[in-house]
Amino acid sequence: MQTPTSAHWTATKRVLHYLKNTLDYGLFYKPGSFSINTYCDSDWAGDPDDRRSTCGYGVYVGSNLISWSVKKQPVVSRSSTEAEYRCLALVTAEVYWLRMLLCELKISLQAAPVVWCDNISTLALASNPIFHAQSKHIEVDYHFVREKMANRDIILQHVPTSLQPADVFTKGHTADRFCLLQDKLFVLYLPANLQGNDKDRSHPM
């Protein structure tokens, strides 16, 4: 951002406008199982300034979103599969850390965490025991994900792009599509009586 343009200024104002009008929104949590489902998505070469891809993911425990991230990748990916696979490796590390944390808290999982991805080529590469020469530049990520799959630390599944909640982290959307994905993240309007008010609490004399 050393040489910002009017486009950057417009984007900044749009973000501030969104924040101003969503102050009463928040995450709604409810009791449920300890099953872990993670949705990951990548926007290949989405940054027009340097053509780096953006990785986004959301981690659910039961139906509750507990962890999420949107991060630009540190290198330029040469294909959408590479961009998605780098994101998949990042998500795998996050899910594995969460699983180890639950184990330390003596909370056992009935099933391995499931990672949902909408890129079929990425799923095929993760499931193929033969490493392709064209993919050597992501070899470390490849072997990391393969190892976790072989150990049943994670399970990879395909989700259609239309049902991919992590899509909201990486791309711009129409208002209807954005509201749909917002609902999938359980980001809801919370009335003031659900937020609590310190002034309503009785204080000891």
Side-chain angles (χ1 to χ4, degrees), residues 28-32 61 63-64 186:
F28 181 75
Y29 293 100
K30 58 183 179 180
V61 173
S63 61
N64 302 307
F186 284 93

Side-chain angles (χ1 to χ4, degrees), residues 3 21 46 48 68 71 82 97 116 121 128 149-150 161-162 168:
T3 55
N21 288 279
W68 59 92
K71 188 175 183 180
E82 179 183 342
W97 173 85
W116 299 86
S121 298
N128 193 341
M149 288 181 59
T161 301
S162 60
V168 73

Side-chain angles (χ1 to χ4, degrees), residues 61-81:
V61 173
S63 61
N64 302 307
L65 180 67
I66 64 157
S67 176
W68 59 92
S69 176
V70 180
K71 188 175 183 180
K72 189 161 73 170
Q73 296 181 357
V75 296
V76 177
S77 297
R78 293 188 288 178
S79 67
S80 60
T81 300

Side-chain angles (χ1 to χ4, degrees), residues 43-70:
D43 179 24
W44 177 45
D47 192 320
D49 295 327
D50 57 17
R51 287 306 174 190
R52 293 184 182 180
S53 305
T54 301
C55 171
Y57 67 83
V59 182
Y60 291 77
V61 173
S63 61
N64 302 307
L65 180 67
I66 64 157
S67 176
W68 59 92
S69 176
V70 180

Side-chain angles (χ1 to χ4, degrees), residues 7-203:
H8 296 107
W9 176 239
T10 300
T12 300
K13 290 195 295 183
R14 184 165 184 163
V15 170
L16 293 176
H17 180 74
Y18 172 79
L19 293 175
K20 177 183 177 181
N21 288 279
T22 55
L23 293 176
D24 294 326
Y25 282 73
L27 289 171
F28 181 75
Y29 293 100
K30 58 183 179 180
S33 68
F34 275 95
S35 61
I36 298 177
N37 285 274
T38 304
Y39 296 85
C40 66
D41 189 37
S42 180
D43 179 24
W44 177 45
D47 192 320
D49 295 327
D50 57 17
R51 287 306 174 190
R52 293 184 182 180
S53 305
T54 301
C55 171
Y57 67 83
V59 182
Y60 291 77
V61 173
S63 61
N64 302 307
L65 180 67
I66 64 157
S67 176
W68 59 92
S69 176
V70 180
K71 188 175 183 180
K72 189 161 73 170
Q73 296 181 357
V75 296
V76 177
S77 297
R78 293 188 288 178
S79 67
S80 60
T81 300
E82 179 183 342
E84 292 275 1
Y85 210 96
R86 292 187 188 279
C87 186
L88 178 60
L90 182 66
V91 169
T92 300
E94 175 75 9
V95 170
Y96 187 69
W97 173 85
L98 178 59
R99 182 174 184 175
M100 291 300 98
L101 176 62
L102 292 176
C103 287
E104 289 186 13
L105 297 175
K106 308 301 181 183
I107 300 176
S108 59
L109 299 176
Q110 295 181 348
V114 180
V115 178
W116 299 86
C117 176
D118 61 5
N119 188 289
I120 295 177
S121 298
T122 298
L123 296 176
L125 181 61
S127 304
N128 193 341
I130 301 176
F131 193 74
H132 299 286
Q134 295 89 341
S135 306
K136 283 187 177 180
H137 47 288
I138 54 171
E139 186 171 358
V140 174
D141 288 339
Y142 172 84
H143 287 297
F144 174 70
V145 174
R146 283 285 303 165
E147 179 183 89
K148 299 309 178 189
M149 288 181 59
N151 294 337
R152 301 294 291 178
D153 291 323
I154 65 166
I155 297 173
L156 295 182
Q157 295 284 359
H158 177 259
V159 59
T161 301
S162 60
L163 301 177
Q164 171 64 280
D167 207 36
V168 73
F169 296 129
T170 60
K171 305 173 185 70
H173 298 282
T174 62
D176 290 341
R177 172 70 174 165
F178 180 82
C179 289
L180 173 65
L181 296 176
Q182 182 178 259
D183 289 342
K184 286 182 175 294
L185 298 175
F186 284 93
V187 177
L188 307 175
Y189 174 74
L190 300 178
N193 62 339
L194 292 181
Q195 297 179 17
N197 190 337
D198 290 340
K199 295 181 180 179
D200 296 335
R201 300 177 184 174
S202 59
H203 297 280

